[in-house]
Amino acid sequence: MTPDSTPPKIIITTGEPAGIGPDIVLTAATQSWSAHLIAVGNRDLLARRAAALGLAVNLGAYSTTDVATPHVPGELPLIDIPLRADCHAGVLDPANASYVLAQLDLAMAMCQAGETAAMVTAPVQKSVINDAGIPFLGHTEYLATATQTPHVVMMLASGDLRVALNTTHLPLADVPGAITREHLEQTLTVLHSDLVNRFGISQPTVAVLGLNPHAGEGGHLGEEEIHTIAPVCAAMRERGFLIDGPLPADSAFIPSIRAKTDAYLAMYHDQGLPVLKALGFQGAVNITLGLPFTRTSVDHGTALSLAGTGNADAGSLEAAIGMAIALSA
């Protein structure tokens, strides 16, 4: 942001009310930011949590007429929405599932209307939303459905390491069947487009991981590479994309390959993410590619046992806010 430019408005959901989402949003609000931060959540809950944590945060009311100004530490403009049931730190209640989803719906509406430049999401508890009878796989899938986006890609970033996923929250047994040529090509296309248009990388190089050990060992350890992954990589290279792979996942992250790679594409959730989380968990950011607006998130769960204790680390949320600001520029 230049001295004469208007800072972007960034809307932040506070997530599962029984988790650490309220804690880390309040903690982040005590820092300086070159953006106008707006939170979505329940005022009474946030006020009680701030008092429990000893955080002096003023929860002012947000209005769409507010002029965007850089965030003032200790001030947090808030869109107050009601809880469906009383909430205690660490204690889940399915009755509040609709409260959690209402935050997402409001934040999406603000972004789609151009009122905010990006949304940042605190963690939600997928299990309790499903326990409430609402099918919910995760933020990524929910946002894609709500915005009628035909193909989104989940990518996590920590520093210069970026790992995108070809499949997201699927049982491992369902992964091979979900890896089709059409799906993989769409994923690579969205990944390339956002690396260019959001991250400003003019000619990104993407390393594609194989599904099987040793990338299939020439078909002896699986044939998905032969029949699906390698042909798509070759076709994308013919179209001018800089694609490396399919690579054996166990050696794809060595320094020599990382040095020439702008992003990795893993075939499933737990293939590439353990590497990223081991190398930079507290600074990792979840980014949804392909949406009509910028969305970033923490790379961790609700940590119910830490809620209200003062021991939650806000590093990932602060990294997500910083990434949202950077991508908004």
Side-chain angles (χ1 to χ4, degrees):
M1 187 180 71
T2 64
D4 297 329
S5 64
T6 301
K9 288 184 178 181
I10 308 294
I11 190 162
I12 307 172
T13 64
T14 50
E16 166 55 49
I20 63 170
D23 306 37
I24 58 179
V25 172
L26 290 164
T27 300
T30 66
Q31 309 300 315
S32 296
W33 298 99
S34 59
H36 189 106
L37 303 188
I38 306 156
V40 182
N42 181 255
R43 180 182 304 280
D44 290 342
L45 169 72
L46 291 169
R48 291 198 306 269
R49 197 68 65 85
L53 299 174
L55 296 175
V57 178
N58 178 44
L59 300 168
Y62 173 74
S63 169
T64 55
T65 60
D66 290 351
V67 176
T69 56
H71 178 74
V72 176
E75 298 288 332
L76 185 58
L78 175 69
I79 300 175
D80 181 24
I81 58 176
L83 283 166
R84 306 303 190 258
D86 194 23
C87 179
H88 301 281
V91 181
L92 295 170
D93 189 336
N96 281 320
S98 59
Y99 161 81
V100 172
L101 298 182
Q103 298 175 43
L104 297 178
D105 293 341
L106 194 152
M108 280 191 290
M110 296 276 281
C111 287
Q112 290 182 301
E115 174 66 18
T116 50
M119 65 183 288
V120 178
T121 55
V124 300
Q125 187 83 14
K126 290 189 280 289
S127 62
V128 77
I129 298 174
N130 283 284
D131 288 343
I134 304 170
F136 185 84
L137 291 174
H139 277 110
T140 302
E141 296 84 354
Y142 184 83
L143 296 173
T145 299
T147 59
Q148 298 182 321
T149 303
H151 197 92
V152 297
V153 176
M154 179 179 175
M155 184 176 81
L156 287 90
S158 181
D160 62 354
L161 177 59
R162 305 178 187 93
V163 179
L165 303 179
N166 187 44
T167 64
T168 52
H169 301 111
L170 288 180
L172 191 57
D174 295 342
V175 168
I179 300 175
T180 65
R181 290 195 185 192
E182 180 182 14
H183 182 87
L184 180 56
E185 184 173 339
Q186 289 175 335
T187 298
L188 283 167
T189 300
V190 170
L191 175 58
H192 178 273
S193 176
D194 273 25
L195 288 172
V196 172
N197 297 317
R198 293 190 188 275
F199 287 83
I201 305 171
S202 59
Q203 293 183 305
T205 296
V206 175
V208 177
L209 305 184
L211 172 65
N212 299 294
H214 302 174
E217 193 76 56
H220 295 286
L221 296 177
E223 298 185 345
E224 286 82 4
E225 288 77 14
I226 293 174
H227 297 305
T228 304
I229 304 173
V232 170
C233 289
M236 299 294 280
R237 282 191 288 267
E238 289 181 4
R239 292 169 52 189
F241 290 73
L242 301 181
I243 304 292
D244 191 11
L247 304 176
D250 63 347
S251 58
F253 293 93
I254 63 175
S256 60
I257 297 178
R258 280 191 59 189
K260 63 180 183 178
T261 299
D262 293 301
Y264 289 85
L265 180 64
M267 289 299 108
Y268 58 94
H269 188 280
D270 284 9
Q271 183 182 53
L273 297 194
V275 177
L276 183 137
K277 292 187 177 185
L279 293 176
F281 180 70
Q282 297 302 339
V285 179
N286 184 345
I287 308 152
T288 305
L289 308 180
L291 290 172
F293 50 79
T294 296
R295 178 259 171 167
T296 67
S297 182
V298 296
D299 183 30
H300 57 71
T302 54
L304 296 171
S305 63
L306 298 179
T309 67
N311 295 322
D313 192 317
S316 182
L317 179 71
E318 293 174 352
I321 294 171
M323 179 71 75
I325 295 171
L327 295 180
S328 296

